[in-house]
Amino acid sequence: MAASPVVRASNLGYRLKNGREVLIRVDFHLPAASFLAIVGENGAGKTSFLDLLLGFRRRTNGELWVMDRDPGMDPWATRARIAYLSEKIDLPGDWDAGDFLEFHRPFYAGYDRDEERTLMGRFRVPYDARIGTMSAGEIRRVQIVGALATWPQLIVADEITATLDILGRRTFLSLLQERQRTNGATVLLATNLPEGLDVYADHVLLISRGRQLAFELLPSFLDGRASLADAVAARLEDHDRPLH
Amino acid sequence: MTGHFIRRDLRDFLFWWVAMAAATVLVVACAIWFADPPVIVFLWPAYLMFALTAAPHLLGSWWRTQHQWSRHYLLALPLSHRRLFAIQHVRILIFWLPLTLLCAVAPAVPAPWWNRFGTMHWLLYYFGLSASINLMIEMQIWTTLDMERIVTYLPRNQRAWAWIRSMGVMLAVISGLWAAWTDVVFSALGVQQRGLFIAGPLFSWPGASIVIFPAAFLAAALWARHNARSWCVTL
């Protein structure tokens, strides 16, 4: 019997109080142990979709299931298996990296201190580094360590790679792929920078102006193009081209 | 988990707790040295400011604010949002403890007006203290979330009215509590007032406390429900 999809969206919609449609008819089922790249232009609705996934916003239409739970019903036990990484997360500046991890650990029963130490070494973050003196990319690294040391089954990353340097980005993406392949973790990565994701992603969700333009396996999405970035650009340009 | 949050808050605000303790020792020493116990009333505004400043930090910020708690981090934790919001209340209440304790033990400070307090006044005093603090905490949470809403979502041409409305709500709450407390104090002192009267900068009337304090409790409960939904959509 096939495992149920980790994420199921059916006619999913989200509209603001002023009537603006942010997401319209998003529809897909994501199998377990997938690596989904969520791409689209600025303001397409990628972050809004992830906010719905985690229950930060309430959908106004359709259905959304994450690990067989409705995120709008506060499935807090499920969140123990989800790692959330975002550029929006910031931490008190007078803490150091060790303080954050000390605060973070008790919330997760499966937290692995050995894995934390391994990741700190891999991302080269000292425990006594003060958050107030860190760059945005360094803060992301601390966040990544805290999130992945819990061995999550679902990793939701919202535009987190933009602030990482080239080595940090490669380390992070390789780590996600390792977790996917060896632990069966499912990865959802929303990004404005699809360059280089071809090596990691196996599914692509393209959103433009709130609408789902495509949800496909990577080879099908590429459709003969040289790279994911080229394929995304071509699809977006086609979508923008007026009908004659 | 509540203890885990509170221990972290105590470490984060340790300097301010030490400052409050030092101010308390200084004022109490002055009261004893000069044999003038009512000097302790000078602690009241200091404790009030301390209580009012913590909420924005504790509630977390919706947008990415440099080096401040992110609400997304809190809401993504494997904790029931209802429990998390309750923990937020406890965290805020901790900062109200100095003021609460000061007001609770104030009657132990020798002063002529306490002798005039009858049973009813004592009941109103402690009931009113509890109601006032509950209401002030909910107002504090609402103000933080409302300012966030105004700055983030409202177009510029609507912001002025939104600010005025916000100020109006705060003024209404403070005015109501002022009227209630004035009624308690004036009636205890045996000062005869008829109908609406001016008490300092605002109005009051005989029996205001009996109406306002229970209403404040009810208002705090309803406001907490509203605040919960503003803070987190799943509540």
Side-chain angles (χ1 to χ4, degrees), chain A residues 16-36:
Chain A
L16 296 177
K17 284 180 185 170
N18 62 10
R20 185 181 150 226
E21 300 269 11
V22 176
L23 284 173
I24 307 166
R25 287 195 292 274
V26 175
D27 227 299
F28 70 93
H29 291 191
L30 183 69
S34 300
F35 193 131
L36 174 68

Side-chain angles (χ1 to χ4, degrees), chain A residues 55-58 74 76 79-80 87-88 90-93 95 99 102-104 106-108 131-132 140, chain B residues 1 4-5 8 11-12 62 64-70 72-73 75-82 233-234:
Chain A
F56 300 151
R57 302 180 197 232
R58 191 182 291 283
D74 188 21
W76 59 272
R79 285 199 291 274
E87 59 163 1
K88 286 190 289 202
D90 212 336
L91 305 167
W95 289 15
D99 284 340
E102 185 190 332
F103 179 79
H104 186 71
F107 294 107
Y108 298 90
I131 286 168
R140 295 303 142 249
Chain B
M1 276 304 148
H4 180 60
F5 275 97
R8 185 67 242 182
R11 283 171 66 181
D12 286 345
W62 186 255
R64 187 173 179 275
T65 305
Q66 193 75 7
H67 306 316
Q68 188 180 331
W69 260 124
S70 162
H72 286 81
Y73 173 76
L75 295 177
L77 290 172
L79 279 180
S80 146
H81 289 157
R82 184 171 289 186
V233 296
T234 62

Side-chain angles (χ1 to χ4, degrees), chain B residues 98-121:
Chain B
L99 184 64
T100 307
L101 289 173
L102 177 68
C103 294
V105 303
V109 174
W113 52 79
W114 298 127
N115 299 330
R116 293 174 173 271
F117 265 47
T119 306
M120 189 62 181
H121 296 109

Side-chain angles (χ1 to χ4, degrees), chain B residues 8 23 37-38 43 74 101 110 121 144 149 169 177 189 223 232-233:
Chain B
R8 185 67 242 182
L43 287 172
L74 294 172
L101 289 173
H121 296 109
T144 305
R149 180 187 67 86
V169 169
L177 292 177
L189 293 179
W223 217 349
C232 172
V233 296

Side-chain angles (χ1 to χ4, degrees), chain A residues 11 23 28 32-33 121 144 157 202 215-216:
Chain A
N11 196 32
L23 284 173
F28 70 93
I144 289 167
D202 48 38
F215 173 73
E216 297 171 28

